[in-house]
Amino acid sequence: MRRPVREFDSADTPSPHVALLGENPFTSFITNAGGGQTRFGNLALNRWRNDPTLDDHGQWIYINDLKEGKVWSAAHQPVCSPGAEYKVTFGQNNAVFGCRAGDIETRMEVVLLPDSQTEIRQISLTNRSATVRDIELTSYYEIVLNGYGADRAHPAFFNLFVQTEWLESSSAILAMRRPREQGVLPIWSGHVVAVKGNA
């Protein structure tokens, strides 16, 4: 049965609307404000808290117009800057966030590829002005690589076991959760940036 396409023109709803992406064991949920979590079975990849009044945990893309000194995010969260236009589309296999900040249009599409345990966030920027812009993008999320319950109980303690490494040749960050016991294999995650077009 096909899930219907749902559209929202605001992140300000009485309770978050949610899209469920992927297939077990690799799944993700994302709200119309952009909050959410990606999981592999019972393993949480990023930090998230069940608080519908804030909906302020997830994976973020910050956009910084270096000339104008303006910062906003690809979804409403986490910057929550009021925009002239905001539209969210939850499709069968993706979630698309569109916003316009001044003369810059931003489109972010979120897709999960369960076969390769990969989440893709494709960001497209369109400059609708005649002025050349210098735009910087920053992606951020709190790495967990642990069970949701354990992370919720002791987040600071379990942060001590996460180790990251920058791989310049691949434009990637590799993260590992060190095992606390002998004989247990470490858990790995990667975060890669790829650029197309004028950059």
Side-chain angles (χ1 to χ4, degrees), residues 76-104:
H76 179 70
Q77 289 283 6
V79 177
C80 304
S81 57
E85 300 174 18
Y86 184 74
K87 183 179 179 182
V88 181
T89 304
F90 290 160
Q92 173 92 9
N93 299 306
N94 67 353
V96 179
F97 296 81
C99 66
R100 182 165 179 162
D103 294 321
I104 306 295

Side-chain angles (χ1 to χ4, degrees), residues 37-55:
Q37 185 176 60
T38 302
R39 295 185 180 193
F40 186 81
N42 294 324
L43 193 71
L45 274 65
N46 67 285
R47 185 154 290 137
W48 176 77
R49 295 294 178 259
N50 183 10
D51 186 346
T53 62
L54 294 176
D55 189 22

Side-chain angles (χ1 to χ4, degrees), residues 58-165:
Q59 301 184 45
W60 314 128
I61 305 290
Y62 294 92
I63 303 161
N64 183 6
D65 186 329
L66 298 174
K67 290 185 178 179
E68 297 289 326
K70 296 178 181 176
V71 177
W72 66 99
S73 43
H76 179 70
Q77 289 283 6
V79 177
C80 304
S81 57
E85 300 174 18
Y86 184 74
K87 183 179 179 182
V88 181
T89 304
F90 290 160
Q92 173 92 9
N93 299 306
N94 67 353
V96 179
F97 296 81
C99 66
R100 182 165 179 162
D103 294 321
I104 306 295
E105 290 181 2
T106 305
R107 182 183 188 273
M108 176 175 70
E109 181 178 12
V110 182
V111 178
L112 258 67
L113 306 176
D115 291 343
S116 58
Q117 293 87 50
T118 302
E119 178 175 311
I120 298 173
R121 293 188 177 223
Q122 180 175 316
I123 309 293
S124 302
L125 299 172
T126 304
N127 182 3
R128 296 296 182 190
S129 75
T131 306
V132 175
R133 300 296 179 89
D134 191 4
I135 304 291
E136 176 184 73
L137 273 68
T138 304
S139 63
Y140 170 82
Y141 68 99
E142 293 183 78
I143 297 170
V144 173
L145 299 177
N146 202 359
Y148 174 73
D151 179 67
R152 187 171 176 84
H154 302 288
F157 174 73
F158 284 112
N159 280 350
L160 299 172
F161 296 92
V162 175
Q163 178 178 321
T164 59
E165 178 183 359

